Amino acid sequence: MCAAVAIKHVGVVGAGTIGSSWTAYFLSRGLDVTVADNSGTAEQYLNRFVERAQPSLQKLARLTGITLPSPGSLTFTPKIDKRWEHVQFVQECIAEKLAAKQATLAELETQIADPTVVFASSTSSLRATDFQRNCTHPARVLTAHPFNPPHILPLVEVVGGEQTAAQSVDTAMEFYTAIGKRPIRVRKELTGHVANRLTSA
């Protein structure tokens, strides 16, 4: 069994629009999801978003001929703590600030010891090379930029940084494919990635 097929528990950092959208999608695919966000209103926003996303997810499943599994369980934590130690894949969705992403990765590394657990950033503009630089295990860090909103649009740009292991990219590609996404492996790391550069061209 490949590592991606065995992933049943996903961690999402950041419960804004992108993080909540990812969460709704992961849950709809039967995955258990742990979400961390220190905003006082984050949990309420997340729960409301997930609830309101259900009709769209169900309609999309009907249109594509997919039978959705029973939804996974949702756990909310104000911070990344010991409840994250069994997370098998991380989708980071915080603000586009390099220092904040570096700090978040450092927090994740204190709780998730397994170096094969992929840390995928939803960043739309920053490079994995830059935010993986201070990591203890930079080989597991990469970019997985979704087309917005992630719970509706299937495309995800997957690109590694200078220190990202090929196996980490493979795991991300296999994982997204297994849950119904259409990942695109981007061979060259570019600021803004491919889609954003085409949109602004």
Side-chain angles (χ1 to χ4, degrees), residues 19-32:
S20 294
S21 182
W22 269 120
T23 298
Y25 186 83
F26 290 143
L27 289 170
S28 76
R29 295 299 168 139
L31 300 171
D32 294 332

Side-chain angles (χ1 to χ4, degrees), residues 178-189:
I179 62 171
K181 288 292 185 181
R182 294 183 182 176
I184 303 168
R185 187 191 299 257
V186 180
R187 302 291 180 179
K188 184 176 181 180
E189 195 176 32

Side-chain angles (χ1 to χ4, degrees), residues 54-130:
Q54 297 314 303
S56 295
L57 286 164
Q58 291 166 9
K59 181 178 181 180
L60 183 62
R62 290 195 301 271
L63 290 173
T64 55
I66 295 172
T67 300
L68 293 176
S70 298
S73 64
L74 174 61
T75 301
F76 181 85
T77 65
K79 62 180 180 179
I80 299 165
D81 56 24
K82 63 181 181 181
R83 287 171 286 184
W84 280 68
E85 62 184 351
H86 298 302
V87 163
Q88 298 169 294
F89 189 94
V90 174
Q91 192 76 45
E92 174 269 301
C93 308
I94 68 169
E96 294 287 273
K97 297 179 180 179
L98 178 59
K101 290 188 183 293
Q102 290 173 328
T104 295
L105 292 175
E107 286 185 64
L108 287 166
E109 289 197 308
T110 66
Q111 301 298 333
I112 303 176
D114 183 353
T116 66
V117 173
V118 172
F119 294 172
S121 175
S122 297
T123 179
S124 60
S125 60
L126 301 175
R127 301 188 314 153
T129 291
D130 296 324

